Amino acid sequence: MPSSPVASRTCPANEDNAPARAFGSAMSRRHRYESESDVGPTVKSLALCSRDEAERAASLEELSRRVLACLGAGRPGSMQLSKPTLLHLLLLSRSCPLEEVRERATELLRTAQEQGVEVPRALSSGPSVFIPAKEMLKEVADQDVLTESFLSTGRVDHITMVMAMHPAYLSCFLRTQHALLEMDGPLPHDWRHYIAVMAAARHHCSYLVQQHSAGFLDAGGEESWLSGLQHAPTKLRSLQTLNKLLAHRPWLITQQHIQELVCPGAEPRWSLAELIHAVILMAHAHSLCSFGWGCGLNPEPDHIGGYTFQLPSPSHLPRSPHSPLAHEDGRQELGEGAMEVEVLMQKMVELQQQEEECTQEEMVTRFERERSESIPTTVVREAPPDLLLRLVEDPEFRYEDFAPKGEQSPPTMRAQVDYSWEDHGFSLVNRLLPDMGQLLDEKFQVVSNLTYHRMAMHEGVDTHTLRKALWNYIHCLYGIRYDDYDYGSVNVLLERSLKVFVKTMACHPEQTTARVYHAFWRHFRHSEKVHANLIVMEARLQAALLYTLRAITHYMR
């Protein structure tokens, strides 16, 4: 039995200033071009991600030979090097952790440009619009985990680069994601990616929609499905109610929702194993949207919105309602920021030394006070592009507070009494989807126990109470209460700007802005803010799973 835990930046989809196109058609073009192939090399087809150095070196030479042969063919280079090939070289030149591959890709792009080929350039300087690329490089000490990611998947995406600030967590995250998407399981591989596309679209996360659209096509998926839900099979469309509840109000999921999908006579009918796989995929994608938005992920260099073929000019700088402006970066004078950290550390020490015990009634009162606190997070945001809305059913269905003031709330889930991950969810997942419970539990444990015993400029700090307050606050927002936890600690340790960030990320991540990110923990390292993002992501994931697994358990009785 597992031990108890404590408790994408998207840009408007455009292509060289052209009107937005559906992800399906954009991705299918890429798919076709790579199979037609002038040079047409992909990382995997040329074994650039081989673990054998000699094989990798030979593949690199073969890539160079093909590119140079095209450039020397005596015809216009742009007719010979397809756009996907150029974008692939751009991706390798920007993010490959293997120096020899990165430098060769850069050299080939430079040669192509000298030969008159119009080459692409990335629109961003790093993985995150919130975190300066130079600062991220300083905080990613373990390059081995990035190399392993490249050798396993053929690329190092922006999610991986940011998570690499915490390599212990990244390793178990990648294992879980690989099992969900690639290992043997009840769902076809193309369906897995399509379910992730449907889930990411609910939070308007074009980053993940593009990523999984590419995975869907690579797995042999039918490209028409990506142009709208109406083209997908009825069985996949039948997940839409569960998808929207999981994303926005999981406490409303009941046994009836499960019964409609799996009971005899349901048409089309899901098996319990298929359904648990789909549920975890959706919850995984929803929570990853929180991470992507919360870390300000830029589009990948080969994503729509991540590159341009035009020369630099003010009109082609990446713009987004989420981009940080100079006047909203929330920086402070050294003394003021340091004082905030000192005060927080003192509060943590006092809570750890506190011996006063509250009555159960007072504990419930403090939980209810925290749960019903008004934390305004909604800001005006431009409408998502049509290409995302085509993949969303009932787009007006959004997050609402679990317990709005003046309204009767649903029953609180008492984690240690009603339904818990340790006593119920873990074993159910492992029974229906072997090994997945263990992988998820490892992720929950690693992120909950992750510590470097430091806080901002201080070393040797016990951050347990702060991490637990973050985890339990997110579960509180989802209506989950721990009987043995004093929610007064949440109010002591989480200042309002942090609560605004956490609630925005956990409940409607598409509303996250640079101002919200920079406003909390203003003197902390970016890696510490990323750690907070990881806690929010995993706590949100576990909360959504608890409600759905409880409904499945009730159906099975």
Side-chain angles (χ1 to χ4, degrees), residues 493-514:
L493 298 177
L494 309 189
E495 40 93 14
R496 191 169 181 82
S497 60
L498 175 54
K499 284 184 175 180
V500 168
F501 176 77
V502 168
K503 185 174 179 182
T504 302
M505 262 190 68
C507 302
H508 33 74
E510 62 277 7
Q511 303 290 352
T512 307
T513 64

Side-chain angles (χ1 to χ4, degrees), residues 494-545:
L494 309 189
E495 40 93 14
R496 191 169 181 82
S497 60
L498 175 54
K499 284 184 175 180
V500 168
F501 176 77
V502 168
K503 185 174 179 182
T504 302
M505 262 190 68
C507 302
H508 33 74
E510 62 277 7
Q511 303 290 352
T512 307
T513 64
R515 187 188 299 275
V516 172
Y517 175 86
H518 288 298
F520 80 96
W521 286 0
R522 287 172 284 193
H523 211 63
F524 282 59
R525 297 172 174 89
H526 284 290
S527 61
E528 291 170 309
K529 291 194 170 194
V530 170
H531 187 185
N533 273 303
L534 294 175
I535 292 174
V536 174
M537 177 175 75
E538 292 297 338
R540 175 195 173 168
L541 171 65
Q542 189 183 92
L545 287 178

Side-chain angles (χ1 to χ4, degrees), residues 131-381:
I131 308 171
K134 288 182 180 177
E135 292 190 35
M136 188 174 297
L137 285 173
K138 288 179 192 173
E139 298 207 42
V140 179
D142 186 354
Q143 292 295 312
D144 290 345
V145 72
L146 298 181
T147 301
E148 178 58 33
S149 176
F150 178 78
L151 296 177
S152 299
T153 66
R155 66 187 291 152
V156 180
D157 61 25
H158 288 169
I159 290 172
T160 301
M161 289 183 191
V162 176
M163 285 185 183
M165 290 180 170
H166 302 285
Y169 173 81
L170 175 59
S171 294
C172 62
F173 171 84
L174 291 175
R175 282 195 296 274
T176 304
Q177 182 161 267
H178 179 70
L180 276 173
L181 294 171
E182 306 298 338
M183 299 288 281
D184 289 344
L187 293 177
H189 288 84
D190 58 335
W191 278 38
R192 302 181 197 190
H193 285 284
Y194 194 78
I195 289 167
V197 165
M198 294 193 303
R202 287 232 61 101
H203 283 310
H204 308 166
C205 186
S206 65
Y207 179 95
L208 284 180
V209 169
Q210 290 198 67
Q211 193 176 61
H212 286 290
S213 292
F216 170 74
L217 292 171
D218 289 343
E222 173 55 53
E223 65 188 61
S224 65
W225 297 8
L226 296 173
S227 61
L229 288 174
Q230 70 274 20
H231 301 294
T234 305
K235 186 170 179 176
L236 281 171
R237 297 203 309 273
S238 70
L239 289 175
Q240 282 305 313
T241 297
L242 203 55
N243 183 27
K244 73 181 184 182
L245 291 175
L246 260 175
H248 308 300
R249 304 176 214 168
W251 49 87
L252 298 181
I253 296 172
T254 65
Q255 173 183 340
Q256 182 64 29
H257 294 112
I258 306 303
Q259 186 172 331
E260 289 170 359
L261 293 169
V262 302
C263 72
E267 185 56 44
R269 184 183 178 188
W270 288 78
S271 71
L272 279 172
E274 290 174 330
L275 184 62
I276 201 76
H277 196 173
V279 163
I280 296 171
L281 278 166
M282 288 187 287
H284 174 82
H286 296 150
S287 63
L288 202 50
C289 288
S290 288
F291 182 81
W293 284 110
C295 291
L297 291 187
N298 280 313
E300 298 289 325
D302 60 343
H303 275 185
I304 298 170
Y307 64 88
T308 181
F309 281 89
Q310 301 186 13
L311 293 174
S313 72
S315 62
H316 291 113
L317 292 175
R319 286 181 180 172
S320 162
H322 305 263
S323 296
L325 302 176
H327 66 272
E328 59 171 13
D329 68 359
R331 301 285 175 189
Q332 290 179 302
E333 292 299 319
L334 179 63
E336 185 183 351
M339 183 59 69
E340 281 190 354
V341 178
E342 298 286 352
V343 170
L344 177 56
M345 287 180 61
Q346 182 59 36
K347 289 177 178 177
M348 289 165 59
V349 170
E350 289 173 359
L351 283 172
Q352 288 166 356
Q353 296 174 344
Q354 186 175 295
E355 296 181 0
E356 172 195 358
E357 288 191 13
C358 297
T359 64
Q360 193 57 233
E361 291 75 12
E362 177 60 23
M363 300 269 269
V364 172
T365 299
R366 292 180 181 184
F367 170 81
E368 294 296 340
R369 187 183 302 133
E370 204 59 54
R371 187 182 70 169
S372 59
E373 182 184 11
S374 177
I375 302 288
T377 56
T378 305
V379 295
V380 177
R381 174 76 63 243

